[in-house]
Amino acid sequence: MPVHEIVILGGSFGGVGAAHYLLRHTIPALTAQDPGQTYHITIVSPSTHLYFKIAGPRVIAAPSKISLEKVFVPIVAEFSTYPPSQFSFVQGKATGVNSQSQTVAVELTEGASQRSLPYSTLIVATGSLSDPLWTLNDSHTVSRAAFESLHASLPSARTIFIAGGGAAGVETAGEIAENFPHAKTTILSGSSRLLPRLHNKTSATAESKLHKLGVNVMHAAKVLSSTKQANGQTRVELSNGTDQLVDVYIDATGGRPNTGFLPHEWLDERGRVLVDAETLRGTGPNMQGVYAIGDAASYSSAAVMDVSFGMRPMCTSIGIDIRAGLANGEKQGGQPRGRTSKALVQQKYKPFKDTQMVPIGSKGGVMQVMGWRLPSFIVWLVKSRDFMIGEAQNTVKGASFLKA
């Protein structure tokens, strides 16, 4: 009986978490029902390290509080407890997917060579393409160099301009203002207010907290271009006809889905992988055995918690579909035969709407849960003290998925 190959594209929160869940729960459950079938998981990622991006804003402004070594965590060592025959790691980038032959073309990091990986099950967890301060689209050394460049520039900077009024931009503005009060720090929301996912009152509270830290907040304009000058400054051209000449420019505007290598018919109008919003199964043509999680998937609001709450729904979908004979072309979504493990019982994704926790400096911030506003001290208690850096190693260990 041929090995059932599970290929996971992406080595961040979604990809690493999925590999742990499947190795820890799904594969043992499937093996118990059919001992003759074997399984193998391959993670494909351009980086050998996971980047704990939650802590990014503090690492930007205060590396003495959270070092680069703590946010870039090696991946492979945390899979040593599983049978070697069940797990492989390939450092490289997916450059194409052939849905007919069910293969992934991978450009390997070393030697610039190509490799074709067959799959029976494919998980797309490639995240988004954005500034290396926020995501790993190459080796972690590229992002590390971007941080080190900022660390060299910030202490002497007199003007700092941050583009992006979402959580990353607001958190970064607060951290920089608190750690470099001598500098003139400006944040450009790119819309009519900060934190547009949250209520107007929450946005206003966030702006007020930034003002108290000395941050200038700009609205009703977007960045058209940014150009590095010969003297090291950056000229930022805005859509309102003005420009800014600044010592440090930080792009926190977010990115676009990292899905350009996938078949066009698999993507929605925003370039995200078409998936069922409850089960994370692919819904486009020729997507049998294909799933997606995180920023690259159509269900996601590009929040880390979308990965956390989407993991069990996606992995139970995978287990059910494999057990029902998806690899042989049968209809996906069927129920398993015989005794049912929890890992093979369908769970469904339920979004946490209007929910965000945004530190603004080290003493608190703003927070909403399902539209309800919560006090600043809860933000301090949960996140703003240390930006949850203690969870970095746990993320690579898959500690959130110890139970099915």
Side-chain angles (χ1 to χ4, degrees), residues 1 25-39 319-320 322-325 334-345:
M1 187 177 292
H25 305 297
T26 308
I27 289 176
L30 290 167
T31 302
Q33 295 197 4
D34 186 358
Q37 178 65 64
T38 56
Y39 302 88
I320 289 169
I322 293 174
R323 187 66 184 91
Q335 291 302 312
R337 300 178 292 274
R339 186 173 63 87
T340 303
S341 161
K342 188 175 180 181
L344 302 179
V345 176

Side-chain angles (χ1 to χ4, degrees), residues 230-265:
N231 64 357
Q233 291 184 302
T234 300
R235 186 174 297 280
V236 184
E237 181 187 2
L238 304 181
S239 60
N240 61 6
T242 66
D243 59 14
Q244 302 276 328
L245 186 62
V246 297
D247 296 323
V248 171
Y249 170 63
I250 297 175
D251 182 354
T253 54
R256 65 185 189 279
N258 183 14
T259 57
F261 60 92
L262 294 172
H264 181 72
E265 61 269 21

Side-chain angles (χ1 to χ4, degrees), residues 21 23 47 55 83 117 127 161 228 243 255 284 313 320 340 356 370 377:
Y21 189 101
L23 287 163
S47 174
L117 296 177
F161 192 85
K228 197 77 170 180
D243 59 14
I320 289 169
T340 303
Q356 221 168 14
M370 299 297 284
F377 83 85

Side-chain angles (χ1 to χ4, degrees), residues 56-380:
R58 180 147 299 167
V59 179
I60 287 173
S64 62
K65 297 176 182 177
I66 301 179
S67 68
L68 290 171
E69 285 70 26
K70 289 184 177 180
V71 291
F72 295 116
V73 188
I75 295 171
V76 174
E78 299 303 336
F79 286 88
S80 61
T81 57
Y82 303 111
S85 61
Q86 292 185 348
F87 177 78
S88 298
F89 181 91
V90 174
Q91 187 178 8
K93 291 183 180 181
T95 57
V97 172
N98 187 321
S99 61
Q100 300 301 317
S101 63
Q102 290 193 301
T103 55
V104 180
V106 179
E107 181 180 331
L108 301 179
T109 299
E110 293 186 2
S113 58
Q114 294 280 338
R115 182 176 174 184
S116 179
L117 296 177
Y119 69 84
S120 304
T121 297
L122 178 66
I123 299 173
V124 181
T126 46
S128 58
L129 293 168
S130 63
D131 190 281
L133 292 173
W134 311 114
T135 189
L136 296 182
N137 300 131
D138 291 288
S139 167
H140 76 285
T141 57
V142 174
S143 290
R144 185 184 179 99
F147 276 105
E148 290 172 342
S149 176
L150 264 184
H151 294 160
S153 301
L154 282 171
S156 60
R158 291 180 296 177
T159 52
I160 301 167
F161 192 85
I162 302 163
V170 170
E171 291 174 359
T172 302
E175 290 296 306
I176 287 177
E178 185 173 273
N179 287 279
F180 301 98
H182 64 275
K184 178 186 177 182
T185 301
T186 300
I187 181 172
L188 176 69
S189 72
S191 66
S192 60
R193 60 189 179 95
L194 300 171
L195 305 175
R197 293 183 187 175
L198 305 182
H199 295 335
N200 288 335
K201 286 185 178 180
T202 307
S203 296
T205 300
E207 184 164 342
S208 175
K209 287 181 178 293
L210 286 177
H211 280 313
K212 289 178 181 178
L213 288 171
V215 178
N216 176 43
V217 181
M218 293 178 60
H219 299 295
K222 294 181 181 293
V223 172
L224 296 180
S225 67
S226 61
T227 307
K228 197 77 170 180
Q229 306 296 296
N231 64 357
Q233 291 184 302
T234 300
R235 186 174 297 280
V236 184
E237 181 187 2
L238 304 181
S239 60
N240 61 6
T242 66
D243 59 14
Q244 302 276 328
L245 186 62
V246 297
D247 296 323
V248 171
Y249 170 63
I250 297 175
D251 182 354
T253 54
R256 65 185 189 279
N258 183 14
T259 57
F261 60 92
L262 294 172
H264 181 72
E265 61 269 21
W266 287 11
L267 309 178
D268 67 10
E269 67 281 355
R270 294 172 57 187
R272 303 175 302 172
V273 180
L274 291 162
V275 297
D276 180 272
E278 292 185 326
T279 66
L280 278 61
R281 291 182 174 95
T283 58
N286 300 314
M287 290 188 71
Q288 292 81 10
V290 179
Y291 311 80
I293 192 167
D295 294 9
S298 59
Y299 82 98
S300 175
S301 64
V304 171
M305 64 183 176
D306 294 340
V307 174
S308 298
F309 293 115
M311 190 61 67
R312 288 178 176 85
M314 182 185 72
C315 290
T316 54
S317 294
I318 292 170
I320 289 169
D321 293 346
I322 293 174
R323 187 66 184 91
L326 176 62
N328 295 320
E330 297 177 25
K331 183 179 180 181
Q332 62 183 357
Q335 291 302 312
R337 300 178 292 274
R339 186 173 63 87
T340 303
S341 161
K342 188 175 180 181
L344 302 179
V345 176
Q346 185 69 66
Q347 297 190 41
K348 295 184 177 181
Y349 174 76
K350 296 179 180 179
F352 265 58
K353 297 181 179 179
D354 302 324
T355 299
Q356 221 168 14
M357 181 190 304
V358 184
I360 302 174
S362 61
K363 298 179 181 179
V366 297
M367 183 177 181
Q368 266 186 212
V369 177
M370 299 297 284
W372 292 91
R373 300 176 68 199
L374 298 180
S376 177
F377 83 85
I378 295 181
V379 181
W380 170 82

Side-chain angles (χ1 to χ4, degrees), residues 1-40:
M1 187 177 292
V3 176
H4 187 103
E5 293 286 352
I6 301 171
V7 176
I8 301 174
L9 305 180
S12 190
F13 291 75
V16 169
H20 277 296
Y21 189 101
L22 294 171
L23 287 163
R24 196 174 281 156
H25 305 297
T26 308
I27 289 176
L30 290 167
T31 302
Q33 295 197 4
D34 186 358
Q37 178 65 64
T38 56
Y39 302 88
H40 179 261

